[in-house]
Amino acid sequence: MSALPTRPTFRQGRSALLDLGSHIARSAMMVLLLLLASFAMPSLAAAQTHQHGKSTPAATVAQAATTAEPAASSSEPARAAAPATSYHAPQTFTLRTGIAQGRMVYIGVGGDIDGQINPGLTVYEGELVQINLINGEGAEHDIFVDQYNAKSSVVVGKNASATISFMATKPGEFAYFCTIGGHRQAGMEGLVRVVAGKREAPETDGADIVRDPGEVPSPIGQRPPQVVKIELETIEIKGKLDDGTTYVYWTFNGKVPGPLLRVRVGDTVELKLKNHPDSIVAHSIDFHAATGPGGGAHATQTDPGQENIVTFKALKPGVYVYHCATPSVAHHITNGMYGMIIVEPEGGLPQVDREFYVMQGELYTVDAFGTRGDMEMDYDKLITERPEYFLFNGAVGALTSRHPLYANVGETVRIYFGVGGPNYTSSFHVIGEIFDSVYTFGSITSPPLTNVQTVTVPPGGSTVVDFKLDRAGTFVLVDHALSRAERGLAGYLVVEGPEDDEIMHHGPADQGPPK
Ligand SMILES: [Cu+2]
């Protein structure tokens, strides 16, 4: 179906699956597979089409006597960045068919092209481009970028949708148009502009609010229970949500999620909560690790410029979420006010080489996903659970372009994974890996499940996954509800070392890997 030079790829083995067509999850999976293929094959020049039936338009932690030194830093500048990280997400455009000025046209939906007639779609050389087509009025349409041989299926009913994707390998201007007889002439035509060179990220005046996933305190080790003093500060801060996009986050200590805290069972936690004087609203903290009124929220409702102290005993080992619990609680949580605390059992957890800290949440913005500028919270979307963004560690690209997780072949890694939410359960999965041990629901006193592909993690819940790295490559952290990957949710685990072809290679078993 492609007239362009194609190299054999991991993706091609899936073409039979593609032909079955018509399934949202499958098309999202294909995007991910295409992403994966593009890591390995930067020169991939292929087009593909797929269709789906219905569209969905779119501070410092002072831990006395426990060190807060990161056990492993994920950001090691000396190491290579993830290959081709510019492919971490496709450049996505949505076009709706309609009538304007007496002509049949495509109308841009969301982002910079919102409301434009036959908008120019500007991308940069080497980018992965996705175009979503929505049938706006119920006449038959399709979309074709002939120079890239990217053609959608025909959408027939109103709201019927299709998606196409292609790698923009050649600079220049290329027409997109409808191939139904007479429609191009009637006005359904626009341009894809592929700019030579690399895209420069637009300037953003927002602060970096991303928590480095390598910021994990060292294990407690062997020591008797003691009093652990922790200080947290609630800070409201305009942060960078995406390139060219900001959001006023509410945070613990200026990052999302709040710091990962670590104590042992039997410890007495004395928590001082300070609310920064520049805050607009009151904040508080509810520890799921605590037993007592509001998990501490009753004692810690704190006005701007004030502080409160709550003391609780860590009665039960586990990996627990904490969050702000000031009304509207859903608003405070979506804005970034969540984190986790590890309460180690006596003797701690089995030792691993590297530990990481990742949390998932949603943002409910007035403007559509991908819009540039200063975003504001939309209470109606929040209360009806219609998020625009799904995020790991607070921002688009937090764990891909900004802070990928780094490790080496032969190492064992552990991810403390939690969901702040406020609303969506995560189906946590690492593409291309299998979890050796899973402490489901953050229960570290139960025997772990072994050899697990995907873990369900509810809002206000956690999991701990351990796995050994057997093969080099870039592995992708996702919520396997993969539509969310198109709303910002993806992370990289970059594993360096030998690419063991016994474990996987391209081509038949008896031919061995290509040299
Ligand atoms: Cu709050």
Side-chain angles (χ1 to χ4, degrees), residues 43-56:
S43 63
L44 171 71
Q48 59 174 299
T49 75
H50 26 263
Q51 181 193 24
H52 50 81
K54 283 284 174 188
S55 75
T56 316

Side-chain angles (χ1 to χ4, degrees), residues 113-132:
I113 62 168
D114 195 45
Q116 290 180 24
I117 293 168
N118 295 329
L121 310 179
T122 302
V123 300
Y124 284 73
E125 193 177 357
E127 289 181 336
L128 175 63
V129 183
Q130 177 178 332
I131 302 176
N132 306 328

Side-chain angles (χ1 to χ4, degrees), residues 393-460:
N393 288 19
V396 177
L399 304 186
T400 53
S401 54
R402 291 155 81 177
H403 294 285
L405 287 60
Y406 287 107
N408 298 306
V409 169
E411 291 179 335
T412 47
V413 298
R414 170 174 296 149
I415 303 173
Y416 297 101
F417 180 87
V419 177
N423 297 317
Y424 278 77
T425 295
S426 179
S427 302
F428 182 56
H429 176 76
V430 177
I431 296 176
E433 263 295 350
I434 297 159
F435 303 135
D436 297 335
S437 299
V438 175
Y439 299 87
T440 316
F441 301 125
S443 171
I444 51 180
T445 46
S446 308
L449 295 174
T450 57
N451 302 328
V452 176
Q453 59 192 313
T454 300
V455 187
T456 189
V457 187

Side-chain angles (χ1 to χ4, degrees), residues 232-236 250-252 258 273-275 279 281-288 294-298 300-303 321-340 359 420 422:
L232 292 175
E233 186 173 29
T234 56
I235 301 172
E236 301 169 5
W250 296 350
T251 69
F252 291 103
L273 187 72
K274 295 168 72 172
N275 190 354
S279 292
V281 299
H283 297 293
S284 58
I285 192 161
D286 168 349
F287 279 98
H288 292 184
H298 290 205
T300 57
Q301 296 296 332
T302 306
D303 285 328
V321 168
Y322 65 81
H323 60 89
C324 181
T326 300
S328 150
V329 178
H331 182 195
H332 286 246
I333 290 176
T334 187
N335 275 13
M337 302 196 78
Y338 49 82
M340 292 207 289
M359 287 191 78

